[in-house]
Amino acid sequence: MVQKILCVAEKPAIAKAVANHLAGGNVNTRAIRGNQYVKNYEFDFAFGPPWGNCSVTMTSVIGHLNGLEFEPNCRKWGSCAPEHLFDAQVIETVDDDKTALADNITHQARYAEALFIWTDCDREGEHIGAEVRQAALKGNQRLQVKRARFSNTERAHVLQAALHPIDLDERQVNAVAARIELDLRLGASFTRFQTLELQRLGESLADRVISYGSCQFPTLGFVVDRYFRVKNFVPEQFWSLKVVHRRDDMNVTFLWRRHHLFDRLAVTVLFERCLAARIARVSKLQKKPTSKWRPLPLTTVELQKLGSMFLRMNSQQVMKIAEDLYTKGWISYPRTETDQFDKAIDLKKLIEKQVQDQTWGPYAQNLLNGAFKTPRSGRHNDQAHPPIHPVNYVVPTTLTPDERRVYEFVVRRFLGCCSEDAKGETTTIEITYGDETFHATGLLVLQRNYLDVYTYDRWESSQQLPTFHLHEVFEPTEATMTDGHTGPPGYLTEPELISLMDANGIGTDATMAEHIAKIQERLYVEVRSRTGAAHASITDAATRGARGGRGSRGGRGGGGRGGARATGPVSSGAGGILEFIPTTLGCALIEGYDNMGLATSLGKPFLRKEMEVKMKEICAGTKGRREVVQEVLEGYRLVLVTAVRQVGVLRAVSYFSPFFLLFC
């Protein structure tokens, strides 16, 4: 008797792609009751031992099946004090809109000997796999459960994953379960607390939910911190020296080694000594080869940052498009921390697929003809997925404009990784003038190499320096004393915000874009082009609300976990890089918690960073799920108890904020 295997993917498109690869195109497709997007694909496939030739049903979920909620007597906002939610009973149930999917899995499992899980190979995917397993075991307690390990939907890779299944990683399942419970308890308790308290201030906030998230608030905190650094910046005057000498019809500018000083009298004295000396002497003349390193293999964080900088779209859009390209089989899994290629990957085979392109095809062919170089290896390896790279060629004109930009970026980055560094020569001339040292530097690019394909990097030759000789003396054409003022930092840009989140452990590479989108949706920040006007509905409230001083500060998104929103935060479009400005509601929330005298403010990253460290400890097996949940809750419980006692501080800051005054 032929055995039956039930396969379940995380998304309908992945289920369809895997089914077609395993079946060789010979698939029977059946609709399921209650969901128009999910299908059951029936076919035969020869698995490895002990299953052999099997009848297969491949279906899917759409992200998470289950949700977590409080017991009924704690679900209403006024049913209990916010701090009681730290200990209230929680119940895991199948989401209402996922019941049909869970029922389909339960029904199909009754006739199967084994369950193969095809969810994404990361923490969240592991937990979704556990939810699938739970639904399947309701129909058949005797099921054997395995999972396919894969990072793209290329046919050979899918076949390899089907023939060599592994076990679910229970530690990762427990880590996500802990995170989900903590997000519910912390989000609900602090959201109820601050919403109920601030709604008392008046009509402007009476109907608003002022949400809290353990990643949202540190993300907002970074934006507010930079905002106050800009607004409270006091420019300081400085003075500098500059020497210019004309030779061979070229003006050579020599810069002062001290850069600048904030003492006008001291600079004046040094300048007069230079003038008194009259003669400058060449004290150092150096020519040496230099290189501009080719980029490292592409990670999720880098894709988000560089997409925001170069592709005229925000990080959430970049990730949604990358997910679509992965689902369609054009690129590898786009959620990865790995910046080093495994030696077993045949990189030249991947390059060969790009030879047919009219734009970068000749460059790819040149790599195959002998210019190929083994990519550099970074320091990160998540042991789950390779760096983001193209797995198949697609004619760019068949993609949407946004898909084309992201796909082209991934391809060019990959080809650049497999290229030689750019080569050049630097010339440094150092002169002594009086008691001071000045220098001029020139760059000559000799071999562009990777720059010819990775057009997002810039490295240009500077003006050529005329001939100087070591120890020669000359009278400079011009010597001047200049002045200037220090300038404030710019408002926080999306690449900078992502870097801060990454460095401080706020969110994962897969969720950062979601947290950035959330603080925009909550009207805690507004977004504008660096040279343009703000895009959000609240325009100048934050500027009008600037205060004089401030102390020092420190589910997955989109299509990955249940479908992307049709609309999202404002993209950069043609206006250039985006920067974030906090609304005064956002400022008031962060200032309010900062002014409470908390040991660790909610606007700082430390509590959330510690939580993420504990999640990794669960994955490593050094701590258990319940132990971590209790440890984290105790830390936040102290914050909430203090916040309840000091709520007058939060009310005062919010009441006198221009946001409140504008809308009263």
Side-chain angles (χ1 to χ4, degrees), residues 119-350:
T119 52
D120 292 342
C121 294
D122 57 13
R123 271 195 219 167
E124 209 78 14
E126 219 69 13
H127 192 275
I128 295 172
E131 295 172 8
V132 169
R133 176 179 61 186
Q134 182 180 357
L137 290 177
K138 287 181 181 179
N140 185 350
Q141 288 289 333
R142 299 184 304 275
L143 273 179
Q144 296 184 62
V145 180
K146 292 291 183 179
R147 77 110 70 238
R149 184 184 180 94
F150 67 106
S151 59
N152 65 69
T153 57
E154 192 267 334
R155 183 174 184 275
H157 188 69
V158 167
L159 293 175
Q160 185 74 4
L163 295 173
H164 300 89
I166 60 174
D167 294 326
L168 275 175
D169 187 333
E170 300 298 339
R171 293 174 178 174
Q172 291 196 52
V173 172
N174 288 331
V176 175
R179 193 266 304 159
I180 290 173
E181 181 178 347
L182 288 168
D183 284 351
L184 173 66
R185 294 187 185 278
L186 299 176
S189 57
F190 281 99
T191 295
R192 289 189 191 184
F193 161 69
Q194 60 193 28
T195 298
L196 293 173
E197 293 295 341
L198 295 182
Q199 281 181 346
R200 300 177 184 180
L201 296 181
E203 294 182 0
S204 67
L205 298 176
D207 298 323
R208 292 198 54 163
V209 173
I210 304 183
S211 75
Y212 168 84
S214 59
C215 285
Q216 278 183 55
F217 263 53
T219 302
L220 172 62
F222 292 132
V223 177
V224 172
D225 176 64
R226 179 65 67 86
Y227 170 78
F228 278 102
R229 286 176 57 194
V230 174
K231 288 302 176 184
N232 297 334
F233 182 82
V234 178
E236 194 172 357
Q237 190 172 13
F238 62 80
W239 290 265
S240 185
L241 301 180
K242 182 176 70 173
V243 173
V244 177
H245 186 63
R246 186 168 183 81
R247 177 173 292 188
D248 299 338
D249 296 325
M250 290 183 282
N251 286 328
V252 183
T253 299
F254 292 88
L255 303 178
W256 195 20
R257 176 184 283 180
R258 299 179 191 263
H259 301 292
H260 58 253
L261 298 177
F262 295 97
D263 187 328
R264 183 177 184 274
L265 179 59
V267 176
T268 300
V269 170
L270 296 173
F271 179 52
E272 289 176 346
R273 289 178 180 175
C274 292
L275 296 178
R278 292 186 57 237
I279 299 299
R281 181 177 62 86
V282 178
S283 55
K284 180 180 178 181
L285 183 62
Q286 183 181 62
K287 284 191 176 184
K288 63 178 182 180
T290 187
S291 299
K292 183 171 179 62
W293 289 353
R294 61 198 185 278
L296 285 168
L298 185 61
T299 65
T300 304
V301 170
E302 282 298 299
L303 176 62
Q304 292 177 86
K305 290 195 300 185
L306 298 176
S308 179
M309 292 173 64
F310 299 126
L311 303 184
R312 304 191 302 281
M313 57 184 75
N314 63 46
S315 58
Q316 193 175 43
Q317 290 173 311
V318 171
M319 289 309 300
K320 171 61 172 64
I321 293 166
E323 186 94 19
D324 290 343
L325 292 172
Y326 156 70
T327 301
K328 294 173 182 177
W330 305 130
I331 68 173
S332 62
Y333 189 59
R335 302 180 189 275
T336 176
E337 300 175 13
T338 302
D339 55 8
Q340 50 188 255
F341 280 107
D342 190 279
K343 294 180 179 179
I345 297 178
D346 189 344
L347 300 179
K348 290 185 178 180
K349 185 176 180 181
L350 295 172

Side-chain angles (χ1 to χ4, degrees), residues 334-565:
R335 302 180 189 275
T336 176
E337 300 175 13
T338 302
D339 55 8
Q340 50 188 255
F341 280 107
D342 190 279
K343 294 180 179 179
I345 297 178
D346 189 344
L347 300 179
K348 290 185 178 180
K349 185 176 180 181
L350 295 172
I351 294 172
E352 187 176 348
K353 295 181 179 181
Q354 300 298 325
V355 169
Q356 56 193 298
D357 187 81
Q358 295 181 354
T359 303
W360 55 78
Y363 188 92
Q365 184 62 60
N366 185 55
L367 292 180
L368 297 176
N369 291 343
F372 171 84
K373 296 293 180 182
T374 301
R376 297 165 55 205
S377 289
R379 294 178 295 176
H380 305 97
N381 191 332
D382 60 18
Q383 303 297 324
H385 297 287
I388 304 168
H389 63 275
V391 295
N392 280 305
Y393 176 73
V394 57
V395 178
T397 54
T398 64
L399 302 173
T400 68
D402 285 346
E403 287 177 334
R404 185 160 58 245
R405 289 203 299 273
V406 174
Y407 179 74
E408 179 175 344
F409 177 82
V410 171
V411 173
R412 289 183 178 275
R413 175 78 172 217
F414 171 68
L415 295 177
C417 289
C418 299
S419 304
E420 179 63 87
D421 298 336
K423 304 292 185 180
E425 181 183 75
T426 57
T427 301
T428 301
I429 302 171
E430 195 172 275
I431 64 171
T432 301
Y433 186 34
D435 296 328
E436 299 305 302
T437 301
F438 301 81
H439 68 273
T441 302
L443 169 66
L444 176 62
V445 176
L446 301 174
Q447 300 174 31
R448 290 180 53 80
N449 296 329
Y450 89 90
L451 293 170
D452 286 331
V453 70
Y454 190 66
T455 54
Y456 311 94
D457 272 359
R458 293 287 182 269
W459 202 48
E460 305 291 343
S461 295
S462 63
Q463 177 182 334
Q464 292 299 295
L465 297 177
T467 301
F468 284 84
H469 300 284
L470 187 63
H471 304 311
E472 76 165 281
V473 295
F474 61 90
E475 184 173 352
T477 306
E478 179 184 339
T480 55
M481 177 174 165
T482 62
D483 69 333
H485 290 83
T486 56
Y491 293 114
L492 205 62
T493 65
E494 189 167 30
E496 291 173 329
L497 180 54
I498 292 171
S499 294
L500 284 170
M501 295 172 71
D502 184 43
N504 287 276
I506 303 304
T508 66
D509 54 1
T511 62
M512 290 177 188
E514 179 184 355
H515 302 315
I516 293 172
K518 188 64 69 178
I519 61 174
Q520 296 175 58
E521 292 167 8
R522 299 300 186 190
L523 298 183
Y524 295 161
V525 303
E526 59 186 17
V527 186
R528 70 183 186 187
S529 296
R530 172 144 275 180
T531 57
H535 294 296
S537 58
I538 304 168
T539 53
D540 295 323
T543 300
R544 290 193 290 271
R547 288 167 172 70
R550 190 162 184 273
S552 59
R553 295 185 32 79
R556 282 286 276 271
R561 301 295 179 226
R565 288 179 288 273

Side-chain angles (χ1 to χ4, degrees), residues 204-205 208 210 522-524 537-542 544-545 547 582-588 653-664:
S204 67
L205 298 176
R208 292 198 54 163
I210 304 183
R522 299 300 186 190
L523 298 183
Y524 295 161
S537 58
I538 304 168
T539 53
D540 295 323
R544 290 193 290 271
R547 288 167 172 70
T583 64
T584 47
L585 175 61
C587 287
V653 173
S654 300
Y655 183 81
F656 290 106
S657 76
F659 180 92
F660 178 83
L661 298 175
L662 279 173
F663 289 91
C664 278

